[in-house]
Each structure stands twice: as C-alpha cells, then as structure tokens.
Amino acid sequence: MTIGYTTGVYDLFHIGHLTLLKNAKGLCDKLIVGVTVDELVLYKGKRAMIPYSDRAEIVRSIKYVDAVVPQYDMDKLAACKKLGAKILFVGDDWYGTDKWKQYEEEFAKEGIKIVYFPYTKGISSSKITEALKNTRGWADGKEVNNDDNNHLNK
C-alpha cells in the first residue's frame, strides 16, 4: 500500500486545495493530510480565519482524504517517516528552490518521493483574503465592526 502525505492550512478552502487533494489521491492508496494547527499558522506570521478543528473537519470530509492529522511543526520528513508515507505532495510554487532541492535529496535518502502539482492559476487563499478585504470593507485584515461579522473578530 502506497501512503501519500500533504499538508496545508486549508483556510478559506478553494478549488486549488481540492484539485491538489484529488490529484494526490490518484497517485496513492491512502492519502493522509496534515492540517496546520492554529499556533503554527501564527508562527508562520499569518492568522487563520477558520479555527483548526473546523478546518480539519472540512478536510476530513473530502472523499479523497483517508485521514487527517494535526501539523504541529514544519518537519515534513519526520511526519512522512512517522506516518509511513512514501510520497509527499506539494504545490509547484516550491519546485526548483534551493530549500526544496535540499529536501528532495533528504527525502530520497529515506525512499520518499516528492511530487509537485501545478499551482492553480488565478486562485489562492491570499487572493481570496484580498478580495474579502476589498468587497467587505476589511481594514488591515479585520472586518468593519458590524453585527453580521462580529463573530470573525473574536
């Protein structure tokens, strides 16, 4: 059985996320998805709009996903080894970078292949966030104070 692994924040879930998960599942028997915990999102200098438990449940409910695990750190090699994954799936926006060339060597030594999928053109969580800022009147990533959106400010 071939186990595949991928990770992500999966905040503001969009078609690019779904496409990656669908394509990944087509290349392995079991797809395990690491969903980044809220504390790690903050460490990366961002803030998730949707809490970890909700994001994990959304990803867990996708038919291409066999299991969801929390991603507590950035060590994807350790996660793959722990889970028995033989393939790590990532977006091709990382392809060819010095960091990922080094990862490829480290993963290969452990018998783990890195598969890059094309980044979905025209869509990203960052673009969705920017569109929400523009259309909903957000300032600096926070909504204007009103009763319909106060739950997102907490």
Side-chain angles (χ1 to χ4, degrees):
M1 175 191 312
T2 302
I3 298 173
Y5 180 65
T6 191
T7 66
V9 176
Y10 300 105
D11 197 27
L12 307 176
F13 196 89
H14 56 73
I15 193 67
H17 294 135
L18 184 63
T19 300
L20 185 141
L21 297 173
K22 180 179 181 180
N23 290 339
K25 179 60 177 177
L27 296 176
C28 63
D29 300 306
K30 181 176 183 178
L31 179 62
I32 302 174
V33 179
V35 175
T36 308
V37 297
D38 295 332
E39 296 79 12
L40 185 58
V41 175
L42 284 172
Y43 170 79
K44 292 167 63 174
K46 299 180 181 181
R47 183 174 153 249
M49 294 298 300
I50 310 298
Y52 167 78
S53 59
D54 292 356
R55 292 182 284 114
E57 185 59 31
I58 290 166
V59 173
R60 184 180 294 110
S61 299
I62 296 167
K63 69 180 181 179
Y64 308 111
V65 175
D66 296 298
V68 168
V69 296
Q71 180 191 11
Y72 292 109
D73 60 47
M74 301 299 290
D75 192 343
K76 292 172 178 54
L77 181 56
C80 285
K81 289 166 64 174
K82 179 180 178 182
L83 298 167
K86 293 298 177 191
I87 308 172
L88 173 68
F89 301 103
V90 297
D92 69 354
D93 48 329
W94 300 112
Y95 182 75
T97 64
D98 290 340
K99 180 178 180 178
W100 280 85
K101 286 179 187 177
Q102 182 180 344
Y103 284 167
E104 288 173 18
E105 292 175 16
E106 293 170 7
F107 278 68
K109 288 177 187 172
E110 300 294 332
I112 302 168
K113 181 178 180 181
I114 298 177
V115 172
Y116 298 91
F117 286 124
Y119 201 75
T120 305
K121 292 181 181 178
I123 190 72
S124 71
S125 296
S126 298
K127 287 183 180 182
I128 293 171
T129 299
E130 192 60 34
L132 287 170
K133 285 180 187 178
N134 293 333
T135 59
R136 293 192 176 168
W138 293 6
D140 298 317
K142 296 180 182 176
E143 284 98 344
V144 173
N145 199 6
N146 68 50
D147 291 338
D148 291 336
N149 294 321
N150 274 344
H151 69 283
L152 294 175
N153 288 326
K154 296 178 183 173

mmCIF file of all heavy atoms in Angstrom, residues 19-61:
data_model
loop_
_atom_site.group_PDB
_atom_site.id
_atom_site.type_symbol
_atom_site.label_atom_id
_atom_site.label_comp_id
_atom_site.label_asym_id
_atom_site.label_seq_id
_atom_site.Cartn_x
_atom_site.Cartn_y
_atom_site.Cartn_z
ATOM 1 N N THR A 19 -8.279 20.349 -5.920
ATOM 2 C CA THR A 19 -7.551 19.757 -7.049
ATOM 3 C C THR A 19 -6.298 19.043 -6.575
ATOM 4 O O THR A 19 -6.008 17.924 -7.016
ATOM 5 C CB THR A 19 -7.207 20.845 -8.084
ATOM 6 O OG1 THR A 19 -8.421 21.433 -8.548
ATOM 7 C CG2 THR A 19 -6.442 20.266 -9.263
ATOM 8 N N LEU A 20 -5.552 19.662 -5.660
ATOM 9 C CA LEU A 20 -4.351 19.012 -5.137
ATOM 10 C C LEU A 20 -4.703 17.705 -4.435
ATOM 11 O O LEU A 20 -4.063 16.667 -4.669
ATOM 12 C CB LEU A 20 -3.603 19.935 -4.175
ATOM 13 C CG LEU A 20 -2.265 19.375 -3.679
ATOM 14 C CD1 LEU A 20 -1.224 20.475 -3.586
ATOM 15 C CD2 LEU A 20 -2.384 18.667 -2.361
ATOM 16 N N LEU A 21 -5.732 17.720 -3.597
ATOM 17 C CA LEU A 21 -6.119 16.512 -2.872
ATOM 18 C C LEU A 21 -6.608 15.418 -3.827
ATOM 19 O O LEU A 21 -6.259 14.245 -3.669
ATOM 20 C CB LEU A 21 -7.183 16.835 -1.823
ATOM 21 C CG LEU A 21 -6.731 17.791 -0.717
ATOM 22 C CD1 LEU A 21 -7.906 18.181 0.166
ATOM 23 C CD2 LEU A 21 -5.588 17.214 0.093
ATOM 24 N N LYS A 22 -7.365 15.803 -4.825
ATOM 25 C CA LYS A 22 -7.870 14.835 -5.816
ATOM 26 C C LYS A 22 -6.714 14.219 -6.594
ATOM 27 O O LYS A 22 -6.650 12.994 -6.763
ATOM 28 C CB LYS A 22 -8.840 15.536 -6.778
ATOM 29 C CG LYS A 22 -9.422 14.638 -7.839
ATOM 30 C CD LYS A 22 -10.384 15.426 -8.722
ATOM 31 C CE LYS A 22 -11.004 14.555 -9.778
ATOM 32 N NZ LYS A 22 -11.936 15.329 -10.630
ATOM 33 N N ASN A 23 -5.794 15.050 -7.060
ATOM 34 C CA ASN A 23 -4.647 14.538 -7.819
ATOM 35 C C ASN A 23 -3.747 13.669 -6.950
ATOM 36 O O ASN A 23 -3.235 12.645 -7.403
ATOM 37 C CB ASN A 23 -3.848 15.693 -8.419
ATOM 38 C CG ASN A 23 -4.597 16.381 -9.539
ATOM 39 O OD1 ASN A 23 -5.508 15.827 -10.142
ATOM 40 N ND2 ASN A 23 -4.233 17.618 -9.806
ATOM 41 N N ALA A 24 -3.556 14.073 -5.700
ATOM 42 C CA ALA A 24 -2.722 13.297 -4.783
ATOM 43 C C ALA A 24 -3.331 11.910 -4.555
ATOM 44 O O ALA A 24 -2.628 10.893 -4.619
ATOM 45 C CB ALA A 24 -2.557 14.038 -3.462
ATOM 46 N N LYS A 25 -4.606 11.856 -4.313
ATOM 47 C CA LYS A 25 -5.269 10.571 -4.070
ATOM 48 C C LYS A 25 -5.150 9.650 -5.274
ATOM 49 O O LYS A 25 -5.049 8.428 -5.131
ATOM 50 C CB LYS A 25 -6.744 10.799 -3.704
ATOM 51 C CG LYS A 25 -7.518 9.525 -3.455
ATOM 52 C CD LYS A 25 -6.950 8.689 -2.320
ATOM 53 C CE LYS A 25 -7.831 7.471 -2.078
ATOM 54 N NZ LYS A 25 -7.292 6.589 -1.055
ATOM 55 N N GLY A 26 -5.082 10.212 -6.462
ATOM 56 C CA GLY A 26 -4.925 9.403 -7.673
ATOM 57 C C GLY A 26 -3.559 8.733 -7.775
ATOM 58 O O GLY A 26 -3.375 7.821 -8.588
ATOM 59 N N LEU A 27 -2.595 9.155 -6.954
ATOM 60 C CA LEU A 27 -1.235 8.610 -7.014
ATOM 61 C C LEU A 27 -0.847 7.796 -5.784
ATOM 62 O O LEU A 27 0.316 7.406 -5.646
ATOM 63 C CB LEU A 27 -0.227 9.748 -7.207
ATOM 64 C CG LEU A 27 -0.355 10.524 -8.513
ATOM 65 C CD1 LEU A 27 0.640 11.677 -8.549
ATOM 66 C CD2 LEU A 27 -0.144 9.599 -9.712
ATOM 67 N N CYS A 28 -1.812 7.550 -4.900
ATOM 68 C CA CYS A 28 -1.508 6.734 -3.724
ATOM 69 C C CYS A 28 -2.749 5.952 -3.312
ATOM 70 O O CYS A 28 -3.852 6.234 -3.767
ATOM 71 C CB CYS A 28 -0.998 7.605 -2.577
ATOM 72 S SG CYS A 28 -2.178 8.816 -1.955
ATOM 73 N N ASP A 29 -2.531 4.955 -2.465
ATOM 74 C CA ASP A 29 -3.653 4.157 -1.970
ATOM 75 C C ASP A 29 -4.331 4.814 -0.776
ATOM 76 O O ASP A 29 -5.535 4.692 -0.589
ATOM 77 C CB ASP A 29 -3.164 2.761 -1.561
ATOM 78 C CG ASP A 29 -2.538 2.018 -2.729
ATOM 79 O OD1 ASP A 29 -3.199 1.893 -3.777
ATOM 80 O OD2 ASP A 29 -1.379 1.580 -2.592
ATOM 81 N N LYS A 30 -3.522 5.474 0.046
ATOM 82 C CA LYS A 30 -4.040 6.136 1.238
ATOM 83 C C LYS A 30 -3.455 7.535 1.294
ATOM 84 O O LYS A 30 -2.232 7.697 1.252
ATOM 85 C CB LYS A 30 -3.647 5.357 2.494
ATOM 86 C CG LYS A 30 -4.176 5.956 3.783
ATOM 87 C CD LYS A 30 -3.824 5.084 4.980
ATOM 88 C CE LYS A 30 -4.435 5.668 6.252
ATOM 89 N NZ LYS A 30 -4.141 4.806 7.417
ATOM 90 N N LEU A 31 -4.314 8.539 1.392
ATOM 91 C CA LEU A 31 -3.874 9.926 1.471
ATOM 92 C C LEU A 31 -4.106 10.458 2.878
ATOM 93 O O LEU A 31 -5.236 10.496 3.361
ATOM 94 C CB LEU A 31 -4.614 10.805 0.460
ATOM 95 C CG LEU A 31 -4.245 12.290 0.484
ATOM 96 C CD1 LEU A 31 -2.761 12.495 0.150
ATOM 97 C CD2 LEU A 31 -5.122 13.077 -0.480
ATOM 98 N N ILE A 32 -2.996 10.840 3.514
ATOM 99 C CA ILE A 32 -3.053 11.450 4.840
ATOM 100 C C ILE A 32 -2.747 12.937 4.669
ATOM 101 O O ILE A 32 -1.786 13.306 4.000
ATOM 102 C CB ILE A 32 -2.039 10.805 5.797
ATOM 103 C CG1 ILE A 32 -2.310 9.297 5.916
ATOM 104 C CG2 ILE A 32 -2.096 11.484 7.172
ATOM 105 C CD1 ILE A 32 -1.268 8.542 6.719
ATOM 106 N N VAL A 33 -3.572 13.771 5.286
ATOM 107 C CA VAL A 33 -3.417 15.220 5.151
ATOM 108 C C VAL A 33 -3.125 15.826 6.518
ATOM 109 O O VAL A 33 -3.892 15.628 7.470
ATOM 110 C CB VAL A 33 -4.682 15.859 4.545
ATOM 111 C CG1 VAL A 33 -4.524 17.374 4.423
ATOM 112 C CG2 VAL A 33 -4.989 15.241 3.184
ATOM 113 N N GLY A 34 -2.021 16.551 6.586
ATOM 114 C CA GLY A 34 -1.696 17.313 7.780
ATOM 115 C C GLY A 34 -2.332 18.690 7.679
ATOM 116 O O GLY A 34 -2.087 19.416 6.723
ATOM 117 N N VAL A 35 -3.160 19.022 8.644
ATOM 118 C CA VAL A 35 -3.786 20.342 8.689
ATOM 119 C C VAL A 35 -3.046 21.144 9.757
ATOM 120 O O VAL A 35 -2.921 20.718 10.906
ATOM 121 C CB VAL A 35 -5.294 20.249 9.001
ATOM 122 C CG1 VAL A 35 -5.907 21.638 9.154
ATOM 123 C CG2 VAL A 35 -6.011 19.469 7.895
ATOM 124 N N THR A 36 -2.551 22.295 9.359
ATOM 125 C CA THR A 36 -1.736 23.138 10.234
ATOM 126 C C THR A 36 -2.552 23.649 11.416
ATOM 127 O O THR A 36 -3.619 24.239 11.227
ATOM 128 C CB THR A 36 -1.176 24.330 9.436
ATOM 129 O OG1 THR A 36 -0.534 23.835 8.259
ATOM 130 C CG2 THR A 36 -0.172 25.117 10.259
ATOM 131 N N VAL A 37 -2.029 23.424 12.629
ATOM 132 C CA VAL A 37 -2.713 23.906 13.835
ATOM 133 C C VAL A 37 -2.600 25.425 13.911
ATOM 134 O O VAL A 37 -1.696 26.030 13.332
ATOM 135 C CB VAL A 37 -2.147 23.245 15.112
ATOM 136 C CG1 VAL A 37 -2.389 21.733 15.090
ATOM 137 C CG2 VAL A 37 -0.686 23.570 15.315
ATOM 138 N N ASP A 38 -3.519 26.024 14.629
ATOM 139 C CA ASP A 38 -3.591 27.486 14.721
ATOM 140 C C ASP A 38 -2.278 28.105 15.207
ATOM 141 O O ASP A 38 -1.855 29.153 14.707
ATOM 142 C CB ASP A 38 -4.732 27.911 15.643
ATOM 143 C CG ASP A 38 -6.104 27.531 15.096
ATOM 144 O OD1 ASP A 38 -6.248 27.435 13.867
ATOM 145 O OD2 ASP A 38 -7.029 27.334 15.906
ATOM 146 N N GLU A 39 -1.618 27.470 16.175
ATOM 147 C CA GLU A 39 -0.378 28.013 16.725
ATOM 148 C C GLU A 39 0.725 28.072 15.676
ATOM 149 O O GLU A 39 1.511 29.018 15.648
ATOM 150 C CB GLU A 39 0.089 27.167 17.927
ATOM 151 C CG GLU A 39 -0.867 27.179 19.102
ATOM 152 C CD GLU A 39 -2.090 26.253 18.944
ATOM 153 O OE1 GLU A 39 -2.111 25.409 18.020
ATOM 154 O OE2 GLU A 39 -3.029 26.394 19.735
ATOM 155 N N LEU A 40 0.785 27.085 14.797
ATOM 156 C CA LEU A 40 1.803 27.084 13.739
ATOM 157 C C LEU A 40 1.469 28.122 12.668
ATOM 158 O O LEU A 40 2.372 28.744 12.111
ATOM 159 C CB LEU A 40 1.961 25.691 13.118
ATOM 160 C CG LEU A 40 3.070 25.542 12.076
ATOM 161 C CD1 LEU A 40 4.440 25.913 12.651
ATOM 162 C CD2 LEU A 40 3.093 24.109 11.535
ATOM 163 N N VAL A 41 0.199 28.317 12.395
ATOM 164 C CA VAL A 41 -0.199 29.365 11.451
ATOM 165 C C VAL A 41 0.302 30.714 11.962
ATOM 166 O O VAL A 41 0.879 31.504 11.210
ATOM 167 C CB VAL A 41 -1.734 29.405 11.238
ATOM 168 C CG1 VAL A 41 -2.129 30.575 10.354
ATOM 169 C CG2 VAL A 41 -2.236 28.100 10.639
ATOM 170 N N LEU A 42 0.120 30.969 13.263
ATOM 171 C CA LEU A 42 0.593 32.216 13.869
ATOM 172 C C LEU A 42 2.113 32.318 13.785
ATOM 173 O O LEU A 42 2.658 33.377 13.496
ATOM 174 C CB LEU A 42 0.146 32.318 15.327
ATOM 175 C CG LEU A 42 -1.315 32.667 15.553
ATOM 176 C CD1 LEU A 42 -1.679 32.540 17.029
ATOM 177 C CD2 LEU A 42 -1.630 34.061 15.047
ATOM 178 N N TYR A 43 2.799 31.205 14.019
ATOM 179 C CA TYR A 43 4.261 31.168 13.944
ATOM 180 C C TYR A 43 4.735 31.564 12.543
ATOM 181 O O TYR A 43 5.749 32.218 12.381
ATOM 182 C CB TYR A 43 4.760 29.772 14.307
ATOM 183 C CG TYR A 43 6.224 29.552 14.025
ATOM 184 C CD1 TYR A 43 7.207 30.040 14.892
ATOM 185 C CD2 TYR A 43 6.636 28.847 12.888
ATOM 186 C CE1 TYR A 43 8.545 29.847 14.635
ATOM 187 C CE2 TYR A 43 7.977 28.647 12.629
ATOM 188 C CZ TYR A 43 8.930 29.149 13.507
ATOM 189 O OH TYR A 43 10.257 28.956 13.249
ATOM 190 N N LYS A 44 3.953 31.158 11.540
ATOM 191 C CA LYS A 44 4.298 31.478 10.152
ATOM 192 C C LYS A 44 3.930 32.917 9.790
ATOM 193 O O LYS A 44 4.075 33.332 8.656
ATOM 194 C CB LYS A 44 3.589 30.494 9.211
ATOM 195 C CG LYS A 44 4.105 29.072 9.334
ATOM 196 C CD LYS A 44 3.213 28.031 8.660
ATOM 197 C CE LYS A 44 3.081 28.206 7.190
ATOM 198 N NZ LYS A 44 2.326 27.121 6.540
ATOM 199 N N GLY A 45 3.439 33.680 10.783
ATOM 200 C CA GLY A 45 3.138 35.093 10.561
ATOM 201 C C GLY A 45 1.775 35.351 9.945
ATOM 202 O O GLY A 45 1.531 36.410 9.384
ATOM 203 N N LYS A 46 0.865 34.383 10.051
ATOM 204 C CA LYS A 46 -0.473 34.547 9.495
ATOM 205 C C LYS A 46 -1.496 34.316 10.597
ATOM 206 O O LYS A 46 -1.153 33.975 11.719
ATOM 207 C CB LYS A 46 -0.679 33.550 8.352
ATOM 208 C CG LYS A 46 0.298 33.744 7.212
ATOM 209 C CD LYS A 46 0.065 32.739 6.121
ATOM 210 C CE LYS A 46 1.062 32.931 4.997
ATOM 211 N NZ LYS A 46 0.859 31.999 3.919
ATOM 212 N N ARG A 47 -2.737 34.464 10.237
ATOM 213 C CA ARG A 47 -3.828 34.203 11.167
ATOM 214 C C ARG A 47 -4.934 33.497 10.403
ATOM 215 O O ARG A 47 -5.427 34.014 9.407
ATOM 216 C CB ARG A 47 -4.339 35.529 11.747
ATOM 217 C CG ARG A 47 -5.413 35.357 12.777
ATOM 218 C CD ARG A 47 -5.770 36.710 13.408
ATOM 219 N NE ARG A 47 -7.135 36.653 13.857
ATOM 220 C CZ ARG A 47 -8.136 37.331 13.321
ATOM 221 N NH1 ARG A 47 -7.926 38.135 12.319
ATOM 222 N NH2 ARG A 47 -9.341 37.201 13.787
ATOM 223 N N ALA A 48 -5.314 32.322 10.857
ATOM 224 C CA ALA A 48 -6.378 31.571 10.191
ATOM 225 C C ALA A 48 -7.734 32.208 10.503
ATOM 226 O O ALA A 48 -7.989 32.622 11.633
ATOM 227 C CB ALA A 48 -6.372 30.122 10.649
ATOM 228 N N MET A 49 -8.569 32.296 9.499
ATOM 229 C CA MET A 49 -9.930 32.793 9.690
ATOM 230 C C MET A 49 -10.812 31.712 10.303
ATOM 231 O O MET A 49 -11.731 31.997 11.050
ATOM 232 C CB MET A 49 -10.532 33.230 8.346
ATOM 233 C CG MET A 49 -9.859 34.429 7.716
ATOM 234 S SD MET A 49 -9.970 35.920 8.701
ATOM 235 C CE MET A 49 -11.734 36.143 8.800
ATOM 236 N N ILE A 50 -10.522 30.473 9.951
ATOM 237 C CA ILE A 50 -11.315 29.327 10.395
ATOM 238 C C ILE A 50 -10.475 28.559 11.418
ATOM 239 O O ILE A 50 -9.313 28.248 11.156
ATOM 240 C CB ILE A 50 -11.652 28.400 9.201
ATOM 241 C CG1 ILE A 50 -12.247 29.184 8.023
ATOM 242 C CG2 ILE A 50 -12.544 27.255 9.629
ATOM 243 C CD1 ILE A 50 -13.540 29.887 8.299
ATOM 244 N N PRO A 51 -11.014 28.210 12.588
ATOM 245 C CA PRO A 51 -10.224 27.501 13.595
ATOM 246 C C PRO A 51 -9.821 26.096 13.131
ATOM 247 O O PRO A 51 -10.497 25.490 12.301
ATOM 248 C CB PRO A 51 -11.139 27.437 14.813
ATOM 249 C CG PRO A 51 -12.491 27.779 14.349
ATOM 250 C CD PRO A 51 -12.373 28.499 13.040
ATOM 251 N N TYR A 52 -8.728 25.614 13.708
ATOM 252 C CA TYR A 52 -8.176 24.306 13.319
ATOM 253 C C TYR A 52 -9.242 23.207 13.301
ATOM 254 O O TYR A 52 -9.328 22.448 12.337
ATOM 255 C CB TYR A 52 -7.034 23.886 14.261
ATOM 256 C CG TYR A 52 -6.693 22.431 14.075
ATOM 257 C CD1 TYR A 52 -5.915 22.023 12.989
ATOM 258 C CD2 TYR A 52 -7.199 21.461 14.926
ATOM 259 C CE1 TYR A 52 -5.650 20.687 12.777
ATOM 260 C CE2 TYR A 52 -6.930 20.122 14.717
ATOM 261 C CZ TYR A 52 -6.157 19.731 13.635
ATOM 262 O OH TYR A 52 -5.910 18.395 13.414
ATOM 263 N N SER A 53 -10.022 23.084 14.351
ATOM 264 C CA SER A 53 -10.981 21.977 14.431
ATOM 265 C C SER A 53 -11.953 21.998 13.254
ATOM 266 O O SER A 53 -12.294 20.937 12.708
ATOM 267 C CB SER A 53 -11.737 21.999 15.757
ATOM 268 O OG SER A 53 -12.431 23.219 15.909
ATOM 269 N N ASP A 54 -12.380 23.170 12.835
ATOM 270 C CA ASP A 54 -13.286 23.281 11.686
ATOM 271 C C ASP A 54 -12.560 22.948 10.387
ATOM 272 O O ASP A 54 -13.098 22.240 9.526
ATOM 273 C CB ASP A 54 -13.874 24.684 11.597
ATOM 274 C CG ASP A 54 -14.832 25.015 12.732
ATOM 275 O OD1 ASP A 54 -15.117 24.134 13.575
ATOM 276 O OD2 ASP A 54 -15.287 26.172 12.787
ATOM 277 N N ARG A 55 -11.335 23.474 10.240
ATOM 278 C CA ARG A 55 -10.560 23.191 9.022
ATOM 279 C C ARG A 55 -10.276 21.700 8.895
ATOM 280 O O ARG A 55 -10.400 21.119 7.817
ATOM 281 C CB ARG A 55 -9.261 23.990 9.012
ATOM 282 C CG ARG A 55 -9.483 25.486 8.867
ATOM 283 C CD ARG A 55 -8.199 26.302 8.802
ATOM 284 N NE ARG A 55 -7.572 26.434 10.114
ATOM 285 C CZ ARG A 55 -6.399 25.918 10.475
ATOM 286 N NH1 ARG A 55 -5.680 25.242 9.605
ATOM 287 N NH2 ARG A 55 -5.910 26.099 11.682
ATOM 288 N N ALA A 56 -9.933 21.053 10.008
ATOM 289 C CA ALA A 56 -9.658 19.616 9.991
ATOM 290 C C ALA A 56 -10.911 18.836 9.600
ATOM 291 O O ALA A 56 -10.837 17.874 8.819
ATOM 292 C CB ALA A 56 -9.137 19.161 11.348
ATOM 293 N N GLU A 57 -12.057 19.237 10.112
ATOM 294 C CA GLU A 57 -13.307 18.545 9.785
ATOM 295 C C GLU A 57 -13.677 18.719 8.312
ATOM 296 O O GLU A 57 -14.154 17.782 7.663
ATOM 297 C CB GLU A 57 -14.442 19.029 10.687
ATOM 298 C CG GLU A 57 -15.743 18.269 10.499
ATOM 299 C CD GLU A 57 -15.623 16.771 10.765
ATOM 300 O OE1 GLU A 57 -14.804 16.360 11.608
ATOM 301 O OE2 GLU A 57 -16.366 16.000 10.111
ATOM 302 N N ILE A 58 -13.459 19.908 7.776
ATOM 303 C CA ILE A 58 -13.726 20.144 6.352
ATOM 304 C C ILE A 58 -12.856 19.217 5.506
ATOM 305 O O ILE A 58 -13.349 18.514 4.615
ATOM 306 C CB ILE A 58 -13.479 21.625 5.981
ATOM 307 C CG1 ILE A 58 -14.561 22.511 6.603
ATOM 308 C CG2 ILE A 58 -13.419 21.815 4.459
ATOM 309 C CD1 ILE A 58 -14.244 24.001 6.599
ATOM 310 N N VAL A 59 -11.560 19.181 5.786
ATOM 311 C CA VAL A 59 -10.637 18.349 5.006
ATOM 312 C C VAL A 59 -10.970 16.870 5.201
ATOM 313 O O VAL A 59 -10.977 16.087 4.242
ATOM 314 C CB VAL A 59 -9.166 18.655 5.373
ATOM 315 C CG1 VAL A 59 -8.216 17.686 4.689
ATOM 316 C CG2 VAL A 59 -8.822 20.099 4.992
ATOM 317 N N ARG A 60 -11.270 16.453 6.426
ATOM 318 C CA ARG A 60 -11.603 15.059 6.721
ATOM 319 C C ARG A 60 -12.829 14.606 5.933
ATOM 320 O O ARG A 60 -12.959 13.440 5.576
ATOM 321 C CB ARG A 60 -11.856 14.914 8.229
ATOM 322 C CG ARG A 60 -12.124 13.511 8.700
ATOM 323 C CD ARG A 60 -12.359 13.428 10.220
ATOM 324 N NE ARG A 60 -11.144 13.778 10.941
ATOM 325 C CZ ARG A 60 -10.976 14.898 11.659
ATOM 326 N NH1 ARG A 60 -11.955 15.780 11.775
ATOM 327 N NH2 ARG A 60 -9.841 15.144 12.280
ATOM 328 N N SER A 61 -13.726 15.529 5.628
ATOM 329 C CA SER A 61 -14.973 15.201 4.944
ATOM 330 C C SER A 61 -14.833 15.060 3.428
ATOM 331 O O SER A 61 -15.788 14.670 2.752
ATOM 332 C CB SER A 61 -16.025 16.268 5.256
ATOM 333 O OG SER A 61 -16.284 16.308 6.641
#
